[in-house]
Amino acid sequence: MGFVFAAVFLWLARPSWQTMLGSLVLVAPGVWLRAYASGYVKKNAELTRTGPYAHTRNPLYLGSMMIAFGFAVAAWSWIILVALVILFAVIYLPTIRSEEAYLREHFAGFDEYAAQVPRLLPRLTAAKTTEAAGSFSRELYWKHREYNAGMGAIALYAALAARLLFLKR
């Protein structure tokens, strides 16, 4: 399905060098946030409350949204923007709720954490926690293969640049 969406995205895209440059305001921090968060999270093993998880409960999803909406800016297409809003609402909201139910069931401190840390839009200061401050783990970053987000962003920019250079309408 990803390849189909990419093909439709490129077909609908009307990029310019300015929109591609402007999109970096969202894409670059989104890629960084995903990479940063992946170095903290120990999926299904512990409730992560440090690093970016002290600001938002879902930094990986927030990073994905920043990347996606950044590419909507790069493509300069309202159709893509509306499609992304619908897709995120239909896919991510139920996923987040389902994951929260799992975390609530498996980690006793989840409700306290959820009361302090917003679901998606980050708080400016880190929430206070009693657990030891975690640190970024390069091993976790590599384990989660988050470098794929950066490589995907580079590939999509290359495809948009090729479209801009070779498929003018």
Side-chain angles (χ1 to χ4, degrees):
M1 186 160 147
F3 289 112
V4 172
F5 187 79
V8 171
F9 173 85
L10 290 171
W11 178 65
L12 292 172
R14 300 292 181 269
S16 70
W17 298 115
Q18 292 83 6
T19 62
M20 288 173 50
L21 185 62
S23 71
L24 287 170
V25 171
L26 288 171
V27 174
V31 169
W32 174 84
L33 181 58
R34 286 195 54 88
Y36 184 51
S38 74
Y40 278 86
V41 67
K42 295 176 184 166
K43 296 178 182 177
N44 301 325
E46 69 180 40
L47 180 61
T48 307
R49 298 179 191 206
T50 59
Y53 291 88
H55 298 271
T56 174
R57 296 195 308 261
N58 293 285
L60 291 165
Y61 293 141
L62 177 59
S64 293
M65 288 181 202
M66 291 169 71
I67 294 166
F69 291 120
F71 277 110
V73 169
W76 206 246
S77 168
W78 286 104
I79 295 170
I80 291 171
L81 179 64
V82 169
L84 285 172
V85 168
I86 292 168
L87 282 171
F88 279 113
V90 169
I91 295 170
Y92 276 15
L93 291 178
T95 300
I96 289 170
R97 287 189 179 117
S98 172
E99 288 177 0
E100 286 182 352
Y102 173 85
L103 293 170
R104 187 169 281 111
E105 184 178 316
H106 289 86
F107 300 102
F110 180 77
D111 285 328
E112 176 191 339
Y113 169 67
Q116 293 178 355
V117 179
R119 178 176 283 149
L120 199 58
L121 296 178
R123 55 183 283 152
L124 296 178
T125 59
K128 303 288 186 233
T129 181
T130 56
E131 73 181 55
S135 62
F136 180 84
S137 165
R138 224 177 265 146
E139 292 78 25
L140 285 173
Y141 168 80
W142 288 107
K143 176 185 174 189
H144 297 308
R145 299 190 313 246
E146 200 51 51
Y147 50 83
N148 286 324
M151 292 188 323
I154 291 167
L156 196 47
Y157 275 120
L160 286 172
R163 188 188 185 306
L164 186 59
L165 291 169
F166 304 115
L167 297 174
K168 296 183 180 188
R169 290 186 192 189

